């Protein structure tokens, strides 16, 4: 009889919990610990942020589903890790603090046989002065709550523009090391389309601001992709889209301070500049949660578990960017010190940047952190669940592996909502982490599997994924047939 | 605004009939990339 505790109920945590419950008999216990009571399909936040979807359409409450499926649920947040237990508790445990209900603010030692850390990133708004969702007219779409808030801000601006006001919109990244450029990219194209729909596009100047060295970097060092019968670089493709939509861009920019209607930033050239805006959506930096870990003697062993995010089976040896290899990336997401702890999705510490690190003339590091989107989060969570099931069933080795250097990903970026007027930029990339040895002539990626398409079909695809993945997350009949 | 996408290309991008077939094609192609498997990158010692 084993007890598996999963921290987090985002894409990664929920996928792991669903597969574990499906594959393990009822004598084994699966417990999810999450401060959030709802599951949210994050990729659709973009549409909440332009008012084309309600938050209720992209979320559902977790507790009733978990109760029905015999998955334990504690609405609590992890506080500290005790992988050896302590003087009183011999089993490993996680200290959690309840965030709701009668037990609010009380602590519990949740023991486990296996622990899956799927806590994702901390949205580190505090790393940029003045960047706080909704404050200073700068918003976020990182959660459904933020996205709803952003829509209210955008709606107010559209009303003002309809009355004759000329406005400036700024969308992109809000920190020198932000990642998730894809979400900002989707949002800027959707906002642009909504302004056209409201017939106010000509009154609004739209600007993209990002820490990327080139457009279309997406934290993945860009890519060479096939587009129709052509082969082009992702920066050329994104440049084409932005020019066609009349969107200006500022790149290599580290936003370091936000004031009401003012975004201060530093460029790679070392210049300090300011951009004005009437509405902004800026993705913050992502960071680890700052968890602490202790051994049974209560001695701090945080460095055995965390390096910002959780340490897994990656090669973290510091090396110059040119010397890293695809083999550095983790395959099983198992912590090397405590073999019963795993960290799939965004919770694991990446061994190095994918996008080439760049430093401004003032010494500020300005380059995107590695992205880990929904698809790899789901795939890595599933393989962790499968490995745990194997161990419980007596296997000695971890047979399920999934390196981001041997995994494809699809990014269906919405470029506008609407069954007949919508659009999407569908990009697939294989592998996610470029393998320059295997694919030396195509920038580390396989061309046939790395392609881009623009058009209405992209919107339908994104909408299909929305419904399919919510169906899957609700664990409806045959949910497991839908791939991660 | 600079017109970077030709009128013909734009017609193809937004024509529901053409895009329906594109949707089927893309769904299959993406499924092949995504569900086409994954694995490790290190050689077994």
């Amino acid at each position: 009889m084993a007890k598996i505790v999963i921290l987090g109920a985002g894409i990664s945590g929920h996928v792991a919990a669903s597969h574990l419950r499906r594959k393990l008999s009822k004598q084994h216990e699966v417990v999810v610990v999450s401060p959030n009571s709802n599951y949210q399909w994050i990729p659709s936040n973009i549409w909440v942020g332009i008012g084309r979807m309600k938050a209720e359409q992209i979320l559902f409450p977790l507790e009733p589903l978990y109760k029905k499926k015999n998955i334990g649920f504690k609405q609590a947040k992890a506080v500290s890790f005790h992988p050896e237990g302590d003087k009183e508790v011999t089993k490993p445990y996680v200290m959690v603090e309840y965030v709701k209900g009668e037990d609010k603010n009380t602590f519990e030692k949740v023991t486990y046989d296996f622990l899956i850390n799927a806590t994702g990133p901390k949205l580190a708004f505090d790393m940029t002065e003045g960047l706080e969702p909704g404050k200073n007219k700068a918003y976020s779409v990182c959660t459904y709550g933020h996205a709803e808030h952003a829509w209210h801000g955008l709606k107010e601006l559209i009303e003002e523009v309809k009355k004759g006001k000329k406005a400036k919109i700024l969308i992109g990244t809000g920190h020198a090391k932000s990642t998730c450029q894809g979400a900002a990219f989707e949002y800027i194209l959707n906002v642009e389309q909504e302004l056209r729909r409201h017939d106010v596009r000509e009154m609004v100047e739209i600007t993209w601001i990002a820490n990327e060295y080139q457009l279309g970097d997406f934290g993945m060092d860009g890519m060479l992709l096939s587009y129709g019968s052509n082969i082009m670089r992702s920066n050329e493709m994104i440049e084409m889209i932005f020019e066609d939509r009349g969107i200006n861009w500022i790149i290599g920019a580290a936003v370091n301070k936000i004031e009401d209607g003012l975004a201060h930033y530093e460029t790679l050239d070392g210049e300090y500049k300011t951009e004005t805006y009437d509405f902004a959506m800026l993705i913050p930096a992502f960071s680890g949660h700052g968890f602490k870990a202790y051994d049974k003697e209560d001695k701090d062993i945080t460095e055995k578990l965390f390096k910002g995010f959780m340490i897994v089976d990656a090669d973290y040896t510091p090396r110059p960017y040119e010397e890293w290899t695809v083999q550095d990336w983790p395959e099983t997401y198992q912590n090397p010190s405590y073999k019963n702890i795993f960290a799939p999705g965004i919770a694991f510490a990446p061994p190095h940047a994918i996008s080439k690190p760049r430093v401004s003339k003032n010494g500020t590091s300005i380059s995107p952190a590695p992205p880990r989107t929904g698809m790899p989060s789901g795939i890595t969570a599933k393989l962790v669940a499968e490995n745990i099931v194997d161990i419980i069933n007596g296997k000695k080795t971890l047979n399920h592996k999934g390196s981001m250097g041997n995994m494809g990903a699809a990014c269906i970026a919405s470029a506008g909502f609407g069954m007949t007027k919508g659009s999407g930029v569908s990009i697939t990339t294989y592998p996610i982490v470029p393998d320059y040895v295997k694919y030396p002539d195509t920038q580390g990626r396989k061309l046939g599997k790395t392609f881009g398409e623009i058009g209405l079909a992209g919107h339908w695809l994104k909408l299909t994924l929305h419904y399919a993945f919510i169906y899957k997350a609700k664990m409806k009949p045959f949910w497991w047939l839908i791939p991660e | 605004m600079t017109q970077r996408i030709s009128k013909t290309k734009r017609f193809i991008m937004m024509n529901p009939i053409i895009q329906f077939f594109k949707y089927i094609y893309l769904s299959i192609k993406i499924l092949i990339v995504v569900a086409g498997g994954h694995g490790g990158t290190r050689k077994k010692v």
Side-chain angles (χ1 to χ4, degrees):
Chain A
M1 219 172 67
K3 181 179 178 184
I4 303 106
V5 172
I6 299 150
L7 303 176
I11 291 175
S12 197
H14 187 65
V15 163
S18 324
H19 283 285
L20 282 165
R21 189 65 287 167
R22 181 178 160 248
K23 293 187 175 181
L24 289 173
S25 62
K26 283 186 179 174
Q27 60 170 333
H28 301 291
E29 199 181 345
V30 179
V31 179
V32 174
V33 177
S34 170
N36 303 315
S37 59
N38 294 317
Y39 176 86
Q40 59 168 326
W41 178 243
I42 293 172
S44 298
N45 280 351
I46 300 304
W47 291 332
V48 176
I50 53 160
R52 300 299 293 267
M53 264 195 186
K54 300 279 179 207
E56 297 75 38
Q57 290 173 269
I58 69 160
L59 62 84
F60 62 86
L62 285 165
E63 201 164 4
L65 175 71
Y66 285 167
K67 200 172 178 182
K68 192 173 153 193
K69 298 288 177 183
N70 195 27
I71 297 171
F73 180 65
K74 294 175 189 290
Q75 197 176 344
K77 61 177 182 184
V79 178
S80 56
F81 290 63
H82 303 260
E84 299 171 8
D86 61 21
K87 285 170 187 169
E88 293 161 6
V89 181
T90 52
K91 282 191 83 175
Y93 71 86
V94 185
M95 181 70 84
V96 306
E97 181 186 359
Y98 285 88
V99 297
K100 208 178 173 187
E102 288 174 8
D103 297 326
K104 192 177 175 184
N105 298 330
T106 60
F107 293 84
E108 184 188 343
K109 293 176 180 179
V110 180
T111 58
Y112 61 82
D113 296 299
F114 296 93
L115 179 70
I116 300 178
N117 173 17
T119 45
K122 178 187 166 197
L123 302 173
F125 290 101
D126 56 343
M127 285 172 70
T128 305
E129 189 184 339
L131 183 64
E132 202 180 303
K135 194 180 160 191
N136 295 327
K137 298 197 283 275
Y139 297 84
S140 151
V141 290
C142 293
T143 68
Y144 60 85
H146 291 170
E148 274 185 323
H149 202 185
W151 166 234
H152 290 307
L154 183 63
K155 196 175 162 189
E156 276 175 27
L157 182 72
I158 290 172
E159 292 305 320
E160 286 175 37
V161 173
K162 279 182 178 170
K163 288 174 189 161
K165 177 183 174 166
K166 288 205 167 190
K168 282 178 86 171
I169 289 180
L170 190 65
I171 293 172
T173 55
H175 188 268
K177 302 298 292 176
S178 293
T179 183
C180 217
Q181 286 76 12
F185 172 67
E186 285 188 83
Y187 195 60
I188 200 167
L189 296 181
N190 272 272
V191 167
E192 196 273 336
Q193 167 144 327
E194 285 307 298
L195 294 175
R196 275 189 281 132
R197 195 169 72 90
H198 287 277
D199 213 15
V200 294
R201 177 65 183 94
E202 298 304 318
M203 303 286 281
V204 184
E205 187 183 324
I206 306 178
T207 303
W208 169 259
I209 187 163
N211 52 358
E212 307 167 300
Y213 176 66
Q214 283 187 321
L215 287 176
D217 182 286
F218 295 130
M220 294 164 55
D221 213 27
M223 65 202 77
L224 196 65
L225 45 79
S226 35
Y227 174 63
S229 54
N230 302 318
I231 293 169
M232 61 162 64
R233 292 176 199 279
S234 52
N235 64 304
E236 293 166 337
M237 187 187 202
I238 306 305
E239 195 173 307
M240 176 183 80
I241 296 168
F242 277 5
E243 280 200 355
D244 196 67
R245 296 277 193 106
I247 295 170
N248 310 315
W249 62 86
I250 301 165
I251 47 177
V255 173
N256 49 34
K257 188 179 175 185
I258 296 294
E259 289 182 281
D260 192 24
L262 292 173
H264 302 277
Y265 64 97
E266 180 186 343
T267 67
L268 279 167
D269 295 331
E271 291 180 72
Y272 293 96
K273 294 182 172 179
T274 300
E275 191 71 18
T276 60
Y277 64 86
D278 297 285
F279 173 91
M281 197 296 289
L282 299 168
I283 303 283
F286 288 178
S287 74
H289 292 269
F291 295 126
K292 290 278 184 188
Y294 302 93
D295 69 4
K296 61 183 167 193
E297 302 298 329
D298 217 23
K299 191 179 141 203
D300 192 322
I301 51 160
T302 304
E303 81 288 348
K304 277 186 167 181
L305 262 78
F306 297 102
K307 195 181 167 67
F309 292 93
M310 183 163 259
I311 294 169
V312 292
D313 61 321
D315 184 350
Y316 294 105
T317 313
R319 274 195 291 263
Y321 175 79
E322 290 71 19
E323 290 176 23
W324 66 256
T325 69
V326 76
Q327 284 75 26
D328 299 339
W329 284 75
E331 296 182 335
T332 62
Y333 307 89
Q334 183 183 44
N335 179 264
S337 304
Y338 297 96
K339 306 282 187 189
N340 58 346
I341 299 181
F342 297 82
I346 306 181
F348 77 85
H352 49 68
I354 304 174
S355 193
K356 189 175 181 178
R358 289 183 165 84
V359 177
S360 79
K361 286 181 179 169
N362 308 313
T364 309
S365 177
I366 307 176
S367 50
R372 281 154 293 165
T373 54
M375 188 173 293
S377 293
I379 291 172
T380 55
K382 187 184 176 189
L383 74 89
V384 162
E386 287 171 330
N387 278 329
I388 290 175
V389 171
D390 280 357
I391 298 168
I392 291 170
N393 291 333
K395 284 197 180 162
K396 301 284 178 206
T397 53
L398 304 183
N399 295 323
H400 300 277
K401 292 178 179 177
S403 163
M404 281 170 61
N406 188 3
M407 185 190 293
C411 174
I412 316 298
S414 172
F417 191 94
M419 288 307 285
T420 55
K421 305 270 184 193
S423 182
V425 182
S426 314
I427 296 176
T428 65
T429 180
Y430 181 88
I432 301 167
V433 177
D435 188 336
Y436 294 107
V437 175
K438 218 169 175 181
Y439 308 108
D441 302 325
T442 48
Q443 292 188 359
R445 300 217 170 76
K446 190 173 183 177
L447 262 191
K449 288 184 170 181
T450 304
F451 65 91
E453 281 290 344
I454 311 169
L456 182 57
H459 173 70
W460 294 342
L461 262 177
K462 178 138 177 134
L463 206 58
T464 306
L465 293 180
H466 167 89
Y467 290 113
F469 280 105
I470 288 180
Y471 180 92
K472 182 181 168 75
K474 285 182 175 173
M475 299 171 77
K476 294 209 170 178
F478 304 107
W479 61 268
W480 64 88
L481 293 175
I482 300 169
E484 317 311 319
Chain B
M1 260 178 237
T2 311
Q3 191 183 319
R4 287 286 306 269
I5 298 172
S6 68
K7 283 183 180 171
T8 314
K9 189 80 185 159
R10 199 182 303 276
F11 172 77
I12 293 168
M13 281 176 182
M14 300 310 291
N15 182 289
I17 297 162
I18 298 169
Q19 288 297 307
F20 174 74
F21 291 104
K22 187 69 106 181
Y23 170 77
I24 305 288
Y25 168 74
L26 278 175
S27 302
I28 295 166
K29 204 168 173 186
I30 288 169
L31 203 64
I32 290 168
V33 173
V34 174
H38 51 265
T41 54
R42 299 168 197 157
K43 284 178 187 164
K44 286 178 186 168
V45 183

